[in-house]
Amino acid sequence: MNLKTLELRDFRNYREVKLDFEPGVNLIVGDNAQGKTNLLEAISYLGSGRSFRAQKTAEMVRFGADFGEVSGTVFSQEREQNLRFVLFSGSRPRQIWRNGAKKKTAGEIAGVLPTVLFCPEDLMVLKTGASQRRRMGDQVLCGLRPNYDAALTEYNRILDQKSRILKDHFDNPSVLAILPEYNTRLCQVGALLISYRARFYESLGKSAAAFHSQFSGGVEDFTLDYKTVSTVTDPFAPVSQLTQELLDHLERHYRAELETAQCLTGPHKDDFTVCLSGIDLKSYGSQGQTRTAAISLKLAQRELMAREWGEEPVLLLDDVLSELDPGRQDFVLNQIVSGQVFITCCEPGRFTKLGKTIEISKGNVI
Ligand code: ATP
Ligand code: MG
């Protein structure tokens, strides 16, 4: 699978460009703030309908424009396909098109252009807060399972509504009457998330362990543990059991949630830990160990997607190679000999010989 062409109109700092890519390595070179990450964002958005940096769709529309467009031709599933998004600066919902037919949800384009992004922040993801790890896991899982994506969206919507009830109840105690209904729904959808995550993290951990073992010469034993709500005894249990366990936990926190006006417990607090030979990386890992484990996790994400879709996902490396020492660079480059890769960097240096170079300046291709 590979992205053959990309057209941007009023997307971020691009007014109008059309690009052609190689099926192998594409090197995107330019000074700071010229639009390199914007280009990777466009590619990742085209494949998933999700941005890894924008909070709102409108942020991606070029300043001053009413709407923007991202479209591309992809060779995927043994044929040429066209994907197109139209984004609006106001509140109008975006449009999704696949091969000339309008689609309702991004789930309907899943698998056409799967991508995996790797950026410098990911190198430290095992040291940072849980929310970054959740975001990273969710991004991959959403790309693998459109139903998970839908459940996550619903969970977040219910969570927002529940937060509003908890905030409003001081002024208007009658809103509490609808709280049990929200809690039940939250636990039902939350149980579904836990069920998906348990399976996903199990496969991710296995695959990452294999990469880490190659990487460290078999010296360290990599293990990944999924952490969820403490009342959940087995995240692989049937969804009905998980729902009950979540409800039990919520009940115990009922008073505390009212007093703090916050949704204190649920899978929105989930996390995972990585241990090397039994030692928790978050607390004890060296910089090198943390980076190596993070790279193994990324390569594992790519492998899971390749297994799921039967084709290598497009790899997007944003500034990440220049952050790595030559040994780690070589490990990554040796693992990505197949499939399409986009690499951004300011100083191409030793990478120029890898493939096609595309030079970007102020939202234009030179
Ligand atoms: P660096 O090497 O520093 O990472 P970069 O080439 O990756 O730089 P980008 O992150 O792609 O740079 O951003 C390029 C420019 O795009 C920024 O200066 C930013 O102000 C601009 N930009 C972002 N969003 C919009 C928008 N909606 N409209 C116009 N310009 C935008
Ligand atoms: Mg950048």
Side-chain angles (χ1 to χ4, degrees):
M1 179 210 32
N2 67 85
L3 179 64
K4 297 175 76 165
T5 65
L6 181 74
E7 277 181 71
L8 303 177
R9 182 188 291 175
D10 291 329
F11 181 91
R12 295 286 191 186
N13 65 335
Y14 291 92
R15 190 179 290 272
E16 202 171 353
V17 289
K18 186 168 191 286
L19 297 124
D20 298 293
F21 303 120
E22 290 285 305
V25 177
N26 296 271
L27 201 65
I28 320 257
V29 186
D31 291 338
N32 293 130
Q34 302 304 306
K36 300 182 298 296
T37 304
N38 291 346
L39 192 64
L40 295 194
E41 182 186 31
I43 295 172
S44 149
Y45 190 82
L46 187 67
S48 65
R50 279 176 175 266
S51 162
F52 55 76
R53 48 170 23 185
Q55 298 294 325
K56 295 196 188 91
T57 310
E59 284 170 36
M60 290 180 280
V61 179
R62 196 173 61 81
F63 301 143
D66 293 332
F67 68 94
E69 228 178 288
V70 188
S71 66
T73 349
V74 189
F75 186 80
S76 170
Q77 299 158 332
E78 287 158 15
R79 63 198 164 112
E80 205 165 280
Q81 304 202 48
N82 182 269
L83 295 174
R84 176 167 165 249
F85 280 83
V86 186
L87 315 170
F88 297 93
S89 62
S91 57
R92 215 173 131 187
R94 68 178 181 193
Q95 292 175 3
I96 308 170
W97 300 80
R98 176 182 181 175
N99 303 328
K102 204 170 172 181
K103 300 291 168 193
K104 281 206 179 70
T105 65
E108 291 172 78
I109 60 157
V112 179
L113 178 64
T115 61
V116 175
L117 171 82
F118 196 7
C119 60
E121 296 89 81
D122 291 336
L123 287 170
M124 280 296 133
V125 77
L126 296 168
K127 284 278 188 198
T128 56
S131 65
Q132 259 168 285
R133 275 185 295 281
R134 265 198 310 277
R135 195 181 152 109
M136 182 172 120
D138 279 342
Q139 234 161 31
V140 190
L141 195 40
C142 284
L144 286 171
R145 299 268 175 270
N147 288 341
Y148 176 84
D149 194 337
L152 185 64
T153 305
E154 186 179 0
Y155 186 87
N156 289 330
R157 191 176 50 80
I158 306 168
L159 202 64
D160 271 354
Q161 289 163 339
K162 180 179 164 181
S163 301
R164 221 167 304 138
I165 296 173
L166 290 175
K167 291 206 167 67
D168 290 350
H169 90 278
F170 297 111
D171 293 333
N172 180 10
S174 69
V175 293
L176 289 181
I178 50 171
L179 191 57
E181 202 181 301
Y182 278 91
N183 276 342
T184 306
R185 194 70 197 123
L186 200 61
C187 292
Q188 285 166 339
V189 184
L192 207 59
L193 297 185
I194 291 174
S195 188
Y196 273 110
R197 284 177 184 170
R199 284 158 183 81
F200 165 68
Y201 282 118
E202 187 184 51
S203 321
L204 187 72
K206 272 192 195 143
S207 167
F211 283 112
H212 193 89
S213 172
Q214 278 183 50
F215 210 160
S216 67
V219 184
E220 292 165 336
D221 180 29
F222 178 111
T223 47
L224 185 151
D225 265 311
Y226 167 48
K227 305 277 181 216
T228 185
V229 178
S230 63
T231 45
V232 171
T233 46
D234 172 17
F236 292 93
V239 171
S240 57
Q241 180 184 327
L242 296 174
T243 305
Q244 193 52 51
E245 288 171 340
L246 290 180
L247 278 167
D248 292 346
H249 203 250
L250 262 191
E251 209 152 283
R252 278 188 235 161
H253 289 77
Y254 183 73
R255 286 264 134 239
E257 288 203 324
L258 285 189
E259 279 159 21
T260 57
Q262 278 177 20
C263 303
L264 295 175
T265 138
H268 55 285
K269 304 271 177 186
D270 280 0
D271 196 2
F272 67 87
T273 56
V274 170
C275 291
L276 293 184
S277 306
I279 293 166
D280 187 352
L281 266 188
K282 187 169 165 64
S283 314
Y284 303 106
S286 75
Q287 268 226 359
Q289 283 176 317
T290 312
R291 288 176 164 233
T292 305
I295 294 170
S296 304
L297 269 179
K298 264 302 144 175
L299 295 170
Q301 290 176 13
R302 186 166 185 249
E303 187 175 83
L304 291 197
M305 294 191 96
R307 224 184 282 158
E308 177 65 26
W309 302 114
E311 292 179 279
E312 291 276 8
V314 171
L315 192 61
L316 308 172
L317 302 178
D318 194 11
D319 260 341
V320 82
L321 284 184
S322 40
E323 291 271 315
L324 298 176
D325 56 60
R328 290 193 175 84
Q329 277 177 10
D330 285 340
F331 185 76
V332 174
L333 291 173
N334 287 334
Q335 295 296 332
I336 57 171
V337 282
S338 61
Q340 193 178 29
V341 188
F342 291 83
I343 301 174
T344 70
C345 55
C346 294
E347 293 153 41
R350 66 182 285 232
F351 307 125
T352 326
K353 57 184 182 297
L354 291 173
K356 178 176 181 171
T357 301
I358 298 164
E359 224 180 308
I360 303 282
S361 173
K362 297 189 184 118
N364 280 301
V365 181
I366 307 174

